[in-house]
Amino acid sequence: MTEAYIYDAVRTPRGKGKASGALYQSTPVSLASTVLRAIQQRNRLDTALVDDVVLGCVEATGEQGGDIARSAVLQAGYAETAAGVTVSRFCASGLEACNVAAGKVISGEADLAIAGGVESMSRVPIGSSGGALFADPSVAFPAHIVPQGISADLLATLRGYSRNDLDCYAFQSQLRAANAWRCGYFQKSIVPVVDLNGETILDRDELVRPNTTIEDLSRLEPSFAQMGEKFGYDSTAIQRYPEVEAIRHLHHAGNSSGIADGAAAVLIGNREMGEKLGLQPRARFRSFASIGSEPCIMLTGPAPATRKALKKAGMEARDVGLFEMNEAFAAVVLCFMEETSVSHDRVNVNGGAIAMGHPLGATGAILLGTLLDEMERRDVGTGLATLCVGGGMGTATVIERV
């Protein structure tokens, strides 16, 4: 069977997903076209050879609607023959896009594809696209669907994590991200966002708070307590988990992922196309998998998705050198490490979304690129990227350096 190789990976810096953020003036399609142009320029790519561009986007509505992948292809100046498709698996959309593109190459449908994702949370807020999962009682009530923040606090309650456990993890994320930026670990893949005059708008992740302390985190008020009590979400979750007497609300802005804007792109192709273009493969896709999980707690999918992907690769967790896992909430990562028996010294070694933000549709592709860069820096052979997913799912991808 044909192998799918990664030839390049780029991303924009992540901006604050608010009107005050640096990337607020950049449209979603301009962010997506920024990374597409970077892929073309860095690899001197004849874009007529690109079979498809697969982009993840969660809130595919308004400025992000209408198949933003195709719009980005056109704005980036690619050949008209390069197709574009937008996919959504909620928070794992960017990684799902990479898996879809890899699958196209493995099956022979495509010789060369670009995958990635985009999300402008400052311009298209989370929840903008609606959907039955969260709005239709005939779907939401039987599945005991609650907001993810309630699910995160439920998970922490069931697992017995303390507020200090969560804050200590968040503190480490900030320290690691600050160190990575200080040491230039992200520079290989960062593409600055510029304005119409070519002036740089943002060239580094905007949300990192290098001076964060445990004391700072301990003073933050829980974010989801009022929501859980006032709107009855706590009661809904407890109906599904009656062993919980009360949900302990422990997550807050400092130990949860930051709302962010950003985009990422990954160049994927078979060996023959790489040789034709004079490109050196950096890694190959070893396996990938997605699973469904219990939808009320919603956030426990990464461990079973990881086990499924590893089984397909004939591997176990101990065979993986580095892990990148989306830090949706601190409890999610603690749960993943506990379930897989993977120590923190192999997980998110340069920080994660708690420190740098989570631009929904782009994050999965960002994780894959970050993982590959660090594998090369440490001379590690294998790595795994994974994310939890809204509605109770998980996605994981195993890559191997070549």
Side-chain angles (χ1 to χ4, degrees):
M1 185 175 288
T2 302
E3 300 272 20
Y5 295 93
I6 298 175
Y7 288 100
D8 199 10
V10 300
R11 72 171 177 94
T12 67
R14 284 167 277 197
K16 293 178 182 177
K18 302 177 180 179
S20 59
L23 297 183
Y24 175 68
Q25 298 300 326
S26 299
T27 63
V29 72
S30 72
L31 294 177
S33 63
T34 292
V35 291
L36 291 185
R37 279 192 293 268
I39 285 286
Q40 187 278 320
Q41 293 166 2
R42 284 163 55 119
N43 298 281
R44 299 180 180 179
L45 192 63
D46 177 359
T47 58
L49 298 174
V50 176
D51 294 301
D52 211 351
V53 174
V54 187
L55 295 184
C57 183
V58 175
E59 302 300 345
T61 187
E63 290 183 314
Q64 290 181 169
D67 190 1
I68 192 171
R70 178 58 175 169
S71 298
V73 163
L74 298 175
Q75 189 179 79
Y78 274 37
E80 292 180 354
T81 53
V85 62
T86 305
V87 300
S88 175
R89 195 186 292 279
F90 294 135
C91 294
S93 297
L95 189 59
E96 182 69 19
C98 294
N99 294 346
V100 168
K104 286 174 175 285
V105 172
I106 290 169
S107 71
E109 179 187 345
D111 296 317
L112 189 68
I114 297 172
V118 61
E119 204 82 30
S120 177
M121 300 181 75
S122 64
R123 299 175 69 98
V124 187
I126 188 170
S128 294
S129 60
L133 185 62
F134 305 106
D136 188 334
S138 69
V139 178
F141 287 1
H144 297 89
I145 297 295
V146 295
Q148 281 197 351
I150 304 297
S151 297
D153 286 338
L154 171 63
L155 178 61
T157 301
L158 285 167
R159 290 279 175 167
Y161 302 142
S162 68
R163 168 69 180 260
N164 189 61
D165 291 334
L166 306 182
D167 287 352
C168 283
Y169 181 85
F171 176 62
Q172 287 298 316
S173 182
Q174 291 286 352
L175 287 182
R176 291 179 175 192
N179 179 70
W181 270 107
R182 185 168 55 250
C183 296
Y185 295 163
F186 299 134
Q187 289 303 326
K188 183 176 183 177
S189 300
I190 288 288
V191 178
V193 179
V194 300
D195 62 18
L196 294 175
N197 298 315
E199 298 294 324
T200 298
I201 297 173
L202 187 67
D203 60 3
R204 62 185 294 114
D205 292 320
E206 191 177 18
L207 287 88
V208 181
R209 299 179 295 278
N211 298 319
T212 298
T213 66
I214 290 289
E215 290 72 26
D216 293 334
L217 295 172
S218 69
R219 286 192 287 268
L220 296 175
E221 292 293 324
S223 297
F224 308 105
Q226 184 176 4
M227 177 190 298
E229 296 166 7
K230 183 176 180 179
F231 297 102
Y233 291 124
D234 282 4
S235 298
T236 299
I238 291 172
Q239 288 175 17
R240 178 61 182 79
Y241 290 90
E243 64 270 32
V244 175
E245 293 184 7
I247 294 176
R248 298 167 60 233
H249 291 286
L250 305 175
H251 286 89
H252 51 75
N255 59 28
S256 307
S257 57
I259 295 172
D261 301 338
V266 181
L267 182 62
I268 300 168
N270 59 31
R271 184 175 289 277
E272 292 74 19
M273 180 57 73
E275 291 174 350
K276 178 178 179 178
L277 296 171
L279 301 176
Q280 184 67 34
R282 297 173 61 189
R284 72 181 179 96
F285 285 82
R286 184 79 179 263
S287 68
F288 39 84
S290 291
I291 60 93
S293 62
E294 198 282 301
C296 176
I297 204 164
M298 196 182 304
L299 305 171
T300 56
T306 291
R307 287 191 288 267
K308 184 176 180 180
L310 289 174
K311 184 177 180 181
K312 288 179 176 294
M315 300 169 64
E316 296 184 13
R318 64 172 176 265
D319 301 320
V320 178
L322 289 172
F323 292 80
E324 281 290 324
M325 187 202 170
N326 186 35
E327 294 175 349
F329 301 91
V332 178
V333 191
L334 295 182
C335 177
F336 172 78
M337 292 190 293
E338 187 178 352
E339 285 284 310
T340 57
S341 299
V342 175
S343 60
H344 195 195
D345 61 357
R346 288 193 289 156
V347 179
N348 298 349
V349 295
N350 291 322
I354 287 174
M356 293 178 283
H358 174 25
L360 303 177
T363 300
I366 291 173
L367 292 183
L368 199 63
T370 299
L371 175 64
L372 179 52
D373 284 349
E374 190 63 17
M375 287 167 61
E376 291 173 339
R377 194 181 74 82
R378 296 189 178 209
D379 195 20
V380 168
T382 57
L384 185 146
T386 185
L387 303 91
C388 58
V389 184
M393 292 183 283
T395 297
T397 302
V398 181
I399 59 173
E400 179 179 63
R401 286 176 60 210
V402 293

